[in-house]
Amino acid sequence: MPELDEYPGIHTLRLQMLGDERSWAHWDNGFSALVQACGHPEVETMADLLAFWQHVGILTQTQSTDTSSRDEPQLMIGTTVRSPWRVLHAAGRPEVPYALMGAVRFLTEVATPWDREISPGEVLELARVTI
């Protein structure tokens, strides 16, 4: 999807997949922290990744209008995608404050645009309260 290609994190991922193993490990650790902070099981397969994207509201299910697909559910980018900052603020688990801090660090490093109403600082405050 062109919209995803323009997202700063996708560009960063492409650069890191070009062969820099240390950068890839760093990105992978940050993404794992994001997944954990959102209260989702570990992402190991593409099916897990699609499930995570559904969990945080990036993808939504819709019924296909194509009669050849037998009305199987289709995935599409949600019309009102919540920002990652809003997702972390809503789903960040107080029982894993270090994962929440790792997720904030990860989103900041990949230049994820800030949410107008929920800043990284507000998300971090959730972690500070429980430490």
Side-chain angles (χ1 to χ4, degrees), residues 34 37-38 52 55-57 82-92 118:
L34 175 65
C38 288
F52 173 65
H55 177 77
V56 298
R82 295 182 298 162
S83 78
W85 301 110
R86 190 173 298 271
V87 169
L88 281 181
H89 192 267
I118 299 175

Side-chain angles (χ1 to χ4, degrees), residues 25-44 52 99-100 102-103 106:
H26 182 73
W27 189 93
D28 188 47
N29 289 337
F31 182 74
S32 294
L34 175 65
V35 170
Q36 185 181 13
C38 288
H40 191 77
E42 194 171 339
V43 171
E44 295 180 345
F52 173 65
L100 189 56
F106 170 71

Side-chain angles (χ1 to χ4, degrees), residues 3-50:
E3 300 94 311
L4 287 178
D5 287 339
E6 294 170 12
Y7 197 72
I10 298 295
H11 178 71
T12 302
L13 175 60
R14 282 202 177 110
L15 290 177
Q16 291 171 347
M17 290 179 72
L18 293 177
D20 186 345
E21 290 181 27
R22 189 168 52 181
S23 290
W24 166 251
H26 182 73
W27 189 93
D28 188 47
N29 289 337
F31 182 74
S32 294
L34 175 65
V35 170
Q36 185 181 13
C38 288
H40 191 77
E42 194 171 339
V43 171
E44 295 180 345
T45 65
M46 182 56 77
D48 295 341
L49 181 59
L50 292 176

Side-chain angles (χ1 to χ4, degrees), residues 27 46 54 64 66 73 110 125:
W27 189 93
M46 182 56 77
Q54 284 184 273
S64 173
D66 180 7
V110 296
E125 193 59 35

Side-chain angles (χ1 to χ4, degrees), residues 7 30 34 84-85 88 102-114:
Y7 197 72
L34 175 65
W85 301 110
L88 281 181
V104 170
R105 191 175 307 114
F106 170 71
L107 291 175
T108 303
E109 286 175 357
V110 296
T112 304
W114 289 13

